[in-house]
Amino acid sequence: MKNENKALSGWDAPYAAAPESSSHAKIKKQYDLFIGGKWVKPSSGKYFDTINPATELKIAEIAEANASDVDLAVKSSRKAYDTVWSKLPAKERGKYLFRIARMIQERSRELAVIETMDGGKSIRESRDIDIPLVSAHFFYYAGWADKLEYAFPNRKVQSLGVAGQIIPWNFPLLMAAWKIAPALACGNTVVLKPAETTSLTALKLAEIIQDSGLPDGVVNIVTGFGATGAAIVKHPDVNKVAFTGSTDVGKLIQKSIAGTDKKLTLELGGKAANIIFDDAPIDQAIEGIINGIFFNQGHVCCAGSRLFVQENVADLVISKLKRRMETLIVGDPMDKNTDIGAINSKQQLKTITDYIEIGKNEGAEMFQSSCSLPGKGFFVRPTLFTNVAQSHRISREEIFGPVLAIQTFRTIEEVVEKANNVPYGLSAGVWTDKGSKIFNLTQKLRAGVVWANTYNKFDPTSPFGGYKESGFGREGGMHGLDAYLK
Ligand code: NAP
Ligand code: MG
């Protein structure tokens, strides 16, 4: 069949275009700040544009909060904590969370469409992964709200107060859920700042929260840039800071709250090793590698961005991998056939293409799928590098894009040493037929999460977090509650 969706997907695919409709998504022209249960104009009167990275067209205007807006949000959060939320029976807190979880399910289609429009990720991902996980997190923590004494036996659990939460753009609504649901379940109130390029779904969540009848001020959403985040971190009446983002900003935050009694969790960058042994089920492993690095355009802190293949199967794995990469559909994120959507921003696209140049200049050998790319929007071809040395920047630094650096190894000792020899330690993957090898490696790999014969699997019941420069503290599971309790 002649390619019918080339214009949309940029791929010579034998599929007709299957775009998801966006007509049901209700998006306002302009969004104010969500403070004290109301929409409040930013005191500076300033708004900034949020665009669709697949079309470069403006979607809406978003309010820019400054320090005095943040102060208002913290004050309303404090008032809600002191007068309502900390006094409410735990069972009642749980009911609100259950209600929000159900409302997210009811509006999941609209949320998925807006997530894809604003952030560039494929509709398949936002529909099948992000939004279902968002409601799953609210359901999970709703269930814990009145059972905290069972989660922490022999301990008198007590909430912290006002939590300041700052999140990145790669899983916008999911990161908001990771932060808000456990904080509320434990009896805290919240001031949350989404990333500047992906504020819309957090603002849609604010609408849901308003409709749910959650007491005013329990959740406040302030939008803006880095300075808005910094104002939250510095605010003297914030008791807890939860940050997910880059290691550089994480370090700044750690410095800025040093000497205060604020509690802190940091979820930072990663450079995960995905390790393929010669006894692995190779075809399954290929899918795991593809999922590990090309899922969500590689905008994943735990992306399997370093591939280690046992030497005797390296040629086979690499040739199968290249063949599979050729079949990936890159293009319109709203098309249900699309595997790889748009890069989140022009700036991130530049970071990725700069790293591809760095890889070539360092002497690694590049392979890219031969697909064509749409004329507009921010797109990049899935890319892999072979002949990569441990010292190359592409194998040490976080690229946060669909770029894979491949190295080979002979022995377990060698691969453990190479895998651990980066400043990060967020996640890793192991592919082998032998359970004993898996247990051996999970002991030795310095990573918060180790997946065995799978990759990028998330569940609200399992804790997530890093070692070393990937941060500290855990989110998810019972561990995620601990971060919001005295
Ligand atoms: P980022 O630049 O660190 O930004 C994260 C958030 O912090 C954004 O909301 C940002 O606002 C805000 N911010 C920027 N400067 C700040 C400051 N001085 N004080 C307080 N807040 C500030 O990270 P990103 O580029 O958005 O996200 C990508 C990074 O997140 C990657 O490194 C990735 O590995 C990491 N990540 C980690 C995890 C994990 O669980 N470990 C999960 C997802 C992502 P603006 O965006 O408006 O500037
Ligand atoms: Mg956007």
Side-chain angles (χ1 to χ4, degrees), residues 85 89-99 141-143 145-146 185:
W85 200 243
K91 193 172 76 195
E92 298 302 315
R93 294 202 306 266
K95 281 190 201 165
Y96 281 112
L97 289 170
F98 276 122
R99 190 178 303 161
Y141 283 112
D146 62 351

Side-chain angles (χ1 to χ4, degrees), residues 8 20 41 86 162 191 218 295 297 313 315 325 336 351-352 374-375 386 403 405 441 462 471 486:
L8 275 176
E20 171 77 38
K41 300 233 167 281
S86 65
V162 174
V191 177
V218 173
F295 166 57
Q297 298 75 246
V313 290
D315 288 346
M325 281 166 70
K336 283 166 258 182
T351 304
I352 296 167
T386 48
V403 182
L441 272 133
S462 39
K486 271 185 196 145

Side-chain angles (χ1 to χ4, degrees), residues 49-53 57 59 117-120 196-200 344:
D49 292 348
T50 192
I51 64 159
N52 180 337
L57 297 174
I59 306 175
M117 286 172 73
D118 199 22
E196 74 197 60
T197 55
T198 53
S199 305
L200 280 181
N344 182 262

Side-chain angles (χ1 to χ4, degrees), residues 166-171 175 178 193-196 224-226 229-230 233 243-247 249 252-253 267-270 300-301 398 400 426 464 470 475:
I166 299 160
I167 55 173
W169 43 260
N170 58 342
F171 292 94
M175 290 298 120
W178 279 28
K193 190 198 95 71
E196 74 197 60
F225 301 88
V233 170
F243 172 79
T244 298
S246 60
T247 296
V249 175
L252 281 177
I253 289 177
E267 302 276 6
L268 309 175
V300 185
C301 48
E398 185 181 49
F400 226 56
L426 191 55
F464 185 89
S470 292
E475 292 186 314

Side-chain angles (χ1 to χ4, degrees), residues 340-374:
I340 301 183
I343 300 302
N344 182 262
S345 64
K346 191 175 200 167
Q347 191 191 348
Q348 185 59 23
L349 179 61
K350 182 173 185 312
T351 304
I352 296 167
T353 49
D354 284 353
Y355 269 110
I356 292 174
E357 282 311 305
I358 289 168
K360 287 195 272 186
N361 293 336
E362 281 175 324
E365 200 175 302
M366 186 191 72
F367 169 85
Q368 280 186 325
S369 94
S370 61
C371 65
S372 57
L373 299 178

